Amino acid sequence: MTHSDITILVVDDDAVNLQILEDTLGDRYTIQTAVDGSQGLNYLESGGRADLILSDIVMPKMDGYEFCIHLKANPATRDIPVLFLSSLDSANDEEKGLTLGAEDFIHKPISPPVVMARVRNHLELSQARTRLSERNEELEMLVLERTRALILREQDVVKAQGATITAFCALAEARDNETGNHIRRTQYYVRTLAEHLSQLPRFRAELNDEAITLLFKSAPLHDIGKVAIPDAILNKPGKLTPEEWVIMRRHAEFGRNAIAQAEQEFGHSGIGFLHYAREIAYYHHEKWDGSGYPLGIAGEAIPLSARLMAAADVYDALISKRVYKPAFTHVQALATIMAGKGSHFDPDIADAVLACGDNFLSIARRFSDMQANDETLDNKA
Amino acid sequence: MIDWSTLTERFKGRTTFIRKLANTALDTHADSPDKLRRLVRDRDFEGLAFVAHSIKGLAGNLAATSTQELAATTEKAARDNDDHAYTHASLLADQIDMILGELGEFKRSNP
């Protein structure tokens, strides 16, 4: 903005004052004049422009104080700097003017250099304030845009996670005689257990809403390592030999390695979700007393995610029919889980299976493998 | 009454502008002395305070320091409802007459 684009409204009932101020400021700025506050307000309300207002205080009709009150009460004019120019001498007059919102108080008689300097300073201050305000608006817009972009990216990551699970699961199901329903059931058992245990002080911090969602997403990958097990062992219609068990047990390691590789590809964005998936795949055959595999670790050294999956996986294996064993009833399965409390399973998790028994049964029915199995559950529950 | 050297210095020796100021002051304050005397007769403190305040500003702008001080004294006395305001106002009316005379003389000397 050039100086000539800046308009100063001078409000004074004395023609000599107006003349001096026009002479002082007229070369640099456009000057508009009014003889009292009401005329000044009329000028502004009819669309007149003012980048700064110089106003006398003692004037007929509307004095400078009342004029200032009107200006500062109106959102359209409250940001215009108001400088009182008065021969009122007392400190109270000056204090009152500043309290009403005026930016400055200049004492008469008019000193042209002082008026010029004060006007210039307040115009610069006002322009800086305007620029700052505009910059703030720009920054707020920028933050909004970035936030939107982040949300979209987050949504893409979530979609990618879903696609990863779908692809992995499709692969696992294609290789294994166990149906996709085992995957669904164990996924829901894990969530049921996690939600139940999140009420206990011991698990509250670890099992927050986000963790439970990630566990639910990760659970289907618990046996992904089985894709690396030869068909002859994986689909053997009978019990495995000790040698075959050695190979079979390696599915935990294979699963861990595959997920770790995917984790590297995802970088930071996939860490939460694949971290749980990797834990579950590798540790879900560990036992509370250290007699499990692949590492034989015990107690809380086994990640919580894997301890949850261990209980869910065993419960589901028990109620499922296999070529080498009949399906257990729900009650038998619960009894077996409780028998393993403190040896196979984390004691609190075994208790949770028992406490969530009805929910487990509902899940088992909802994702039942076959009608016959459903009847077994119903008849013997 | 007017300190002409201070006034000339304040407006950087621009006689033409000072002449314009003199014209404006003569136009707008020609009736100020009579107004003051009438207000004294009417015992109107409020009116006296308003006119004295206006003359204080004019005198200040014209570098008429003693008149500016007298106007300030008059204004204060009038605001305090002090009877001395009438005496001060009468003196002030006389001084304004003199200032207007000096301004007229300046106009004639600087056509």
Side-chain angles (χ1 to χ4, degrees):
Chain A
M1 189 185 284
T2 63
H3 289 309
S4 57
D5 295 330
I6 296 171
T7 300
I8 295 175
L9 173 63
V10 181
V11 185
D12 201 308
D13 61 322
D14 190 293
V16 172
N17 286 332
L18 291 175
Q19 201 165 30
I20 295 172
L21 290 168
E22 280 190 278
D23 178 69
T24 303
L25 302 167
D27 285 346
R28 279 180 162 242
Y29 311 110
T30 301
I31 306 297
Q32 294 290 340
T33 60
V35 296
D36 62 40
S38 60
Q39 201 177 88
L41 280 183
N42 286 340
Y43 165 78
L44 292 167
E45 283 167 3
S46 61
R49 176 188 175 145
D51 297 293
L52 182 142
I53 295 170
L54 273 171
S55 177
D56 187 16
I57 292 175
V58 180
M59 294 182 286
K61 291 187 186 172
M62 184 187 288
D63 69 18
Y65 294 139
E66 196 183 339
F67 178 45
C68 186
I69 290 169
H70 280 283
L71 292 171
K72 296 302 177 186
N74 183 348
T77 54
R78 69 176 166 215
D79 291 331
I80 304 173
V82 175
L83 278 61
F84 279 129
L85 192 62
S86 177
S87 50
L88 286 175
D89 303 318
S90 82
N92 288 344
D93 295 319
E94 186 168 348
E95 188 181 313
K96 183 177 178 183
L98 297 175
T99 304
L100 292 176
E103 273 66 16
D104 207 349
F105 194 106
I106 305 173
H107 291 274
K108 287 178 181 173
I110 297 166
S111 163
V114 170
V115 170
M116 177 61 90
R118 298 274 185 96
V119 165
R120 192 178 54 233
N121 289 345
H122 282 286
L123 281 171
E124 283 176 4
L125 200 62
S126 171
Q127 286 164 354
R129 226 170 12 226
T130 303
R131 282 196 297 273
L132 196 64
S133 170
E134 287 169 353
R135 183 70 185 136
N136 279 344
E137 281 177 21
E138 284 171 16
L139 284 174
E140 279 171 16
M141 285 299 296
L142 198 63
V143 168
L144 200 64
E145 283 170 18
R146 293 277 164 88
T147 306
R148 278 189 193 135
L150 276 175
I151 289 169
L152 286 175
R153 218 176 83 185
E154 186 70 22
Q155 286 170 346
D156 285 345
V157 169
V158 170
K159 282 181 193 166
Q161 288 174 351
T164 307
I165 294 173
T166 305
F168 270 133
C169 291
L171 194 61
E173 287 173 29
R175 288 291 325 281
D176 198 338
N177 282 340
E178 288 178 14
T179 69
N181 281 336
H182 165 70
I183 286 170
R184 299 282 166 275
R185 288 191 298 269
T186 48
Q187 180 181 33
Y188 281 88
Y189 298 148
V190 165
R191 187 167 71 180
T192 300
L193 290 175
E195 285 173 347
H196 178 83
L197 291 165
S198 68
Q199 306 303 314
L200 302 184
R202 181 186 162 203
F203 298 101
R204 192 170 292 147
E206 197 170 350
L207 293 176
N208 55 40
D209 288 349
E210 189 189 357
I212 292 172
T213 302
L214 290 174
L215 283 168
F216 182 74
K217 281 185 176 183
S218 310
L221 299 178
H222 67 278
D223 274 340
I224 190 64
K226 284 185 178 175
V227 299
I229 304 299
D231 280 348
I233 296 174
L234 189 66
N235 295 323
K236 184 178 178 181
K239 287 199 171 185
L240 300 179
T241 65
E243 293 76 22
E244 287 168 336
W245 261 118
V246 170
I247 296 169
M248 186 61 167
R249 285 177 175 182
R250 292 197 67 196
H251 80 272
E253 179 191 339
F254 294 146
R256 187 269 315 263
N257 292 346
I259 294 167
Q261 203 167 340
E263 210 172 6
Q264 273 188 330
E265 295 293 323
F266 261 115
H268 283 293
S269 58
I271 277 177
F273 144 68
L274 289 175
H275 172 76
Y276 281 127
R278 179 164 47 78
E279 280 182 353
I280 291 171
Y282 194 45
Y283 298 107
H284 74 284
H285 287 294
E286 298 289 357
K287 294 181 181 176
W288 186 252
D289 62 5
S291 63
Y293 68 91
L295 300 179
I297 55 175
E300 294 197 343
I302 307 165
L304 175 58
S305 57
R307 279 180 271 148
L308 293 170
M309 176 50 77
D313 198 29
V314 169
Y315 171 84
D316 200 62
L318 291 170
I319 64 161
S320 300
K321 188 181 174 190
R322 296 282 186 268
V323 289
Y324 52 86
K325 76 163 192 64
F328 280 31
T329 66
H330 170 67
V331 173
Q332 287 172 325
L334 290 184
T336 307
I337 295 285
M338 290 312 287
K341 174 181 171 180
S343 53
H344 191 157
F345 307 108
D346 180 328
D348 284 334
I349 294 178
D351 287 340
V353 174
L354 191 62
C356 299
D358 289 347
N359 289 339
F360 271 47
L361 192 56
S362 300
I363 293 164
R365 284 176 179 151
R366 184 174 161 202
F367 300 106
S368 171
D369 282 335
M370 59 187 95
Q371 190 62 31
N373 203 39
D374 217 19
E375 285 167 3
T376 304
L377 285 168
D378 285 340
N379 293 336
K380 299 179 183 175
Chain B
M1 304 304 299
I2 296 171
D3 181 345
W4 288 99
S5 63
T6 299
L7 186 62
T8 306
E9 189 182 338
R10 183 179 294 169
F11 296 110
K12 300 187 187 315
R14 292 184 297 137
T15 309
T16 310
F17 178 68
I18 295 171
R19 195 174 191 284
K20 276 170 71 179
L21 274 187
N23 274 332
T24 305
L26 286 167
D27 288 346
T28 55
H29 287 276
D31 62 346
S32 290
D34 287 346
K35 207 184 278 181
L36 280 171
R37 289 179 185 114
R38 193 168 55 249
L39 290 165
V40 169
R41 273 199 308 275
D42 295 344
R43 303 295 195 199
D44 182 348
F45 282 129
E46 192 181 340
L48 274 179
F50 188 86
V51 175
H53 177 81
S54 170
I55 289 168
K56 183 172 70 174
L58 173 75
N61 285 331
L62 295 176
T65 310
S66 60
T67 305
Q68 183 188 354
E69 286 166 1
L70 179 59
T73 307
T74 307
E75 180 188 3
K76 185 174 183 319
R79 287 195 196 286
D80 294 344
N81 293 336
D82 178 351
D83 285 347
H84 289 100
Y86 304 131
T87 318
H88 297 317
S90 299
L91 287 171
L92 187 60
D94 294 341
Q95 289 198 8
I96 296 297
D97 272 334
M98 287 189 269
I99 285 175
L100 294 174
E102 286 182 29
L103 290 173
E105 181 59 33
F106 177 78
K107 273 182 66 180
R108 282 188 291 278
S109 312
N110 296 277

